[in-house]
Amino acid sequence: MQRTTSPIELSSRLIESLGIRSSLFHMGRYCGQWQASTQGRRRASFHLILHGECYLHRPGQPVCALREGDAVFLLRDINHRITPDKAGSSAACNTMQPLEQTNRAGTGLACGFFELGGQTAELLTASLPACLIFARDGVAMQGARPVFELLLKEAYDQQAPASALIERLTELLFLYLLRAAADDSDQPRGVLALAQEPRFAPLLESLLENPQQEWTLEEMAAQVHLSRAAFCKQFSELCGLPPARFLQLLRMSIAAGRLRNGASVRDTAEQVGYHSIAAFSRVFRNVLGVTPGEYRRQPGTHIKTNEQKMLTH
């Protein structure tokens, strides 16, 4: 296939196809002793620092100082909490108070959840770290600053801040930050690494457009003008997974996206190259941890932890 999409365009297209939908959990001001967390709900989540300072605590990770204008996006449900002090005091927590335009004491937070509905959401998020932290003076946040300012303006609206508008602005902010982070990444992994590598991007585009095709290693190697052995070696080094396993994950991620959009299990299986529903269901469960029928009823991001580790390290 003759390719017209540049690596940067392909990477952006993958991110823009995520279908991000956010929901606001709580928004307000904390003073004194407090802690905030969205863990335990098996959902991706976010924390936006509206004013003040605080600290992000994660087991096994250095404590991260956060200040006004910073954003934290957790692509998976991980153990974490945000506190007003570096020590992470476990003292009794004060209740969140409403935001006030004239009172910036304490720390203002907007916290919530988001769903990723694109056809390659599982594979794309598995290729990214579980926790993405964007500093207000970082490269990624600089271009997104106008969006954050609009979000702040709405959050401090004294009449009645519109949660729906804040949610849409959060989606736009996350989309912009993800794209900037992917473009600025020194060592992308997984599907993003393939999308940004000129030699492998045409192959990835072909796989995305024709997941039902019976791809062999020889056919994939021919697209990048390498021998089978050289192709397998270079692909694995770049992506973090062998070509056959990556193709399997890609197909299951596309299948998950189609199931989320209401496609039947039978049609979905055929659309990603499986003529046997039993074989498709077996692979789908192996990759995502649930059957296609279960996923169709309760969609979510489920790529198994071993794949996440292989793609992000």
Side-chain angles (χ1 to χ4, degrees):
M1 183 190 74
Q2 184 176 4
R3 183 172 113 0
T4 58
T5 306
S6 73
I8 291 179
E9 289 171 337
L10 181 56
S11 177
S12 294
R13 195 175 79 188
L14 285 169
I15 291 171
E16 290 163 6
S17 71
L18 278 173
I20 301 166
R21 296 291 295 177
S22 70
S23 58
L24 194 62
F25 179 44
H26 58 69
M27 181 175 68
R29 181 169 59 92
Y30 281 116
C31 294
Q33 292 298 323
W34 58 271
Q35 67 176 21
S37 179
T38 50
Q39 76 174 72
R41 293 171 175 83
R42 303 182 66 182
R43 301 176 65 185
S45 60
F46 64 86
H47 300 282
L48 307 179
I49 316 305
L50 305 180
H51 73 253
E53 298 179 348
C54 52
Y55 295 86
L56 173 65
H57 303 266
R58 294 165 292 163
Q61 299 292 326
V63 176
C64 179
L66 301 171
R67 56 179 178 163
E68 178 180 332
D70 291 352
V72 178
F73 290 93
L74 304 165
L75 300 188
R76 293 178 280 282
D77 185 6
I78 63 172
N79 187 354
H80 74 283
R81 60 196 178 100
I82 296 178
T83 72
D85 56 87
K86 190 172 184 179
S89 172
S90 58
C93 298
N94 291 335
T95 304
M96 174 178 273
Q97 304 171 34
L99 293 173
E100 298 179 26
Q101 180 67 44
T102 57
N103 186 352
R104 298 297 180 94
T107 303
L109 292 178
C111 308
F113 304 97
F114 58 91
E115 304 289 343
L116 303 176
Q119 287 192 351
T120 55
E122 283 77 10
L123 195 59
L124 186 56
T125 55
S127 70
L128 292 165
C131 180
L132 295 171
I133 302 172
F134 298 98
R136 69 176 183 182
D137 52 0
V139 174
M141 187 63 87
Q142 287 176 9
R145 192 64 196 173
V147 179
F148 202 98
E149 293 296 335
L150 284 173
L151 196 151
L152 283 174
K153 183 177 183 300
E154 187 59 34
Y156 288 100
D157 190 319
Q158 295 302 296
Q159 302 301 316
S163 59
L165 181 55
I166 291 173
E167 289 167 354
R168 301 296 84 78
L169 287 170
T170 300
E171 293 162 8
L172 181 59
L173 178 69
F174 185 40
L175 181 63
Y176 193 102
L177 291 173
L178 263 186
R179 189 177 66 179
D183 292 344
D184 193 53
S185 175
D186 293 329
Q187 292 183 314
R189 299 292 289 172
V191 69
L192 287 177
L194 296 174
Q196 294 176 26
E197 173 54 48
R199 172 173 279 193
F200 286 90
L203 171 62
L204 175 60
E205 191 169 12
S206 294
L207 297 176
L208 288 167
E209 293 181 356
N210 303 285
Q212 78 288 348
Q213 183 173 321
E214 294 185 7
W215 292 96
T216 65
L217 287 175
E218 288 78 10
E219 288 170 331
M220 289 190 282
Q223 281 225 3
V224 294
H225 310 292
L226 291 171
S227 68
R228 172 173 167 161
F231 167 71
C232 290
K233 181 177 184 296
Q234 292 185 28
F235 188 103
S236 298
E237 291 175 348
L238 177 66
C239 174
L241 291 171
R245 182 56 173 166
F246 175 84
L247 177 59
Q248 187 180 72
L249 295 181
L250 178 64
R251 283 171 166 162
M252 294 306 105
S253 187
I254 291 173
R258 289 177 170 167
L259 290 170
R260 274 194 302 269
N261 292 328
S264 69
V265 174
R266 180 181 297 277
D267 288 344
T268 299
E270 293 178 353
Q271 289 166 350
V272 294
Y274 286 80
H275 302 296
S276 164
I277 293 181
F280 167 69
S281 298
R282 185 167 55 252
V283 175
F284 191 94
R285 183 166 189 168
N286 175 265
V287 171
L288 279 89
V290 293
T291 67
E294 291 170 338
Y295 187 90
R296 194 169 184 267
R297 291 188 292 273
Q298 294 182 322
T301 301
H302 293 86
I303 276 189
K304 287 188 172 180
T305 304
N306 58 336
E307 259 77 38
Q308 292 172 347
K309 289 181 178 178
M310 291 174 72
L311 287 167
T312 55
H313 292 84

